[in-house]
Structure formats: C-alpha cells, structure tokens
Amino acid sequence: AAVGEMLRGARAIKMLSWEEVLASRISKARKKEVSALAVRKYLDALCVYFWAATSLLFTCLTFGLVAALRIPLTVGSAFTALSLFQLLIMPLNALPPVINGVLEALISFSRLEQYLSLPEHSSEQQQQQQQQQRPEESGHAVCAGQEAEAVVLN
C-alpha cells in the first residue's frame, strides 16, 4: 500500500529530482511489505495444511489416546467416534481462517485507534496557518469584484 502510494507520486518526484533521496525510503518500505507478504503466505500455507490434515490428525490422536489409556474400544464406539469426527471436520477446518481474521481485525482496530487518537486541528488553527503561509507583500487589501476581477484598495 505504501509503495503504491509512492509510485503514484512518481511524476512529482521526477520533476523535483528526488529519485536518489527517496530510493532508500522506497527500498525500506518494499522490504517491509515483502516480509509482511511472506508471513501472510506462510500462514495461508499453514491453514491449508491444517485444513487437509485435520480429520486424519484428530482421528489418529483420539484413537492413540484411547489405546494409551487402555480404554476398551468396541466396533460400535469406534464407528460412532468416526461419525462424530466427520461432523466436526467443518468447524475444525474453519478455525484457522477465523483466527487469521481475528488477528487482522485486531491489527485494523489498533491502526484505527492510533489514527483516531491523533490531536484534532480546529478551524482557528487552520486559519492561522493559512495566514502565516500567505505572503504579505504590499499591505494592500484585495477583494473580488462582480466579474471575478480583483480590485486593489488603498
């Protein structure tokens, strides 16, 4: 997002010959953006892995625990457990994307909180800043006429 914004301002950068000055800033922003994309892709790959392996891992872990605790396993209880696991696959597969969405929402909320906690500028402050930026050359007052002509008053 930041790199795209910088690219939109490329015309002004070229006109003002700021290429060398901004090259390092763009490089740093790009490295940060690429590392964030890499983390996101690793998380996506992990979600796909869990989506594909959830039913098998869950079934193996459960029956392994039953065997380790020496709980008697009958055919009826095994098929009932397998049927229950099939019902639970969808909610278990939905869990990683939900966690990812919650983390993204928390990040968005923190960014919004930072933005909304910035100090506000009153209209009086803006008027003062505008008056300070206007060059006062001659002390003459200028007002607009009916035909958008400027009239200089002494």
Side-chain angles (χ1 to χ4, degrees):
V3 173
E5 191 174 321
M6 287 182 201
L7 289 176
R8 282 185 224 108
R11 176 184 269 172
I13 291 169
K14 292 265 186 202
M15 287 174 45
L16 297 170
S17 299
W18 288 351
E19 293 99 341
E20 294 176 12
V21 175
L22 295 177
S24 64
R25 292 177 70 184
I26 291 173
S27 176
K28 288 177 187 177
R30 183 68 184 150
K31 285 180 184 178
K32 186 177 178 181
E33 188 174 11
V34 167
S35 68
L37 286 173
V39 168
R40 180 167 176 110
K41 288 302 171 187
Y42 286 130
L43 287 175
D44 287 344
L46 191 62
C47 286
V48 169
Y49 169 75
F50 280 122
W51 176 80
T54 299
S55 62
L56 179 64
L57 288 174
F58 196 66
T59 303
C60 291
L61 287 174
T62 302
F63 286 130
L65 184 62
V66 167
L69 296 175
R70 301 187 188 274
I71 298 173
L73 186 61
T74 63
V75 175
S77 63
F79 282 122
T80 304
L82 287 174
S83 176
L84 179 64
F85 296 156
Q86 289 300 316
L87 290 173
L88 292 175
I89 285 175
M90 287 298 283
L92 289 174
N93 283 337
L95 188 61
V98 167
I99 292 172
N100 194 15
V102 167
L103 290 175
E104 287 179 2
L106 290 173
I107 290 169
S108 296
F109 283 136
S110 69
R111 288 180 180 168
L112 281 173
E113 183 180 18
Q114 288 175 356
Y115 175 73
L116 293 175
S117 64
L118 291 174
E120 294 184 16
H121 296 286
S122 68
S123 60
E124 292 175 6
Q125 288 175 337
Q126 290 174 352
Q127 288 174 357
Q128 288 174 356
Q129 289 174 354
Q130 289 174 355
Q131 288 175 356
Q132 291 173 356
Q133 292 174 354
R134 291 183 190 153
E136 299 288 335
E137 294 180 2
S138 63
H140 297 292
V142 178
C143 66
Q146 293 178 352
E147 300 295 323
E149 297 176 6
V151 178
V152 178
L153 302 176
N154 288 328

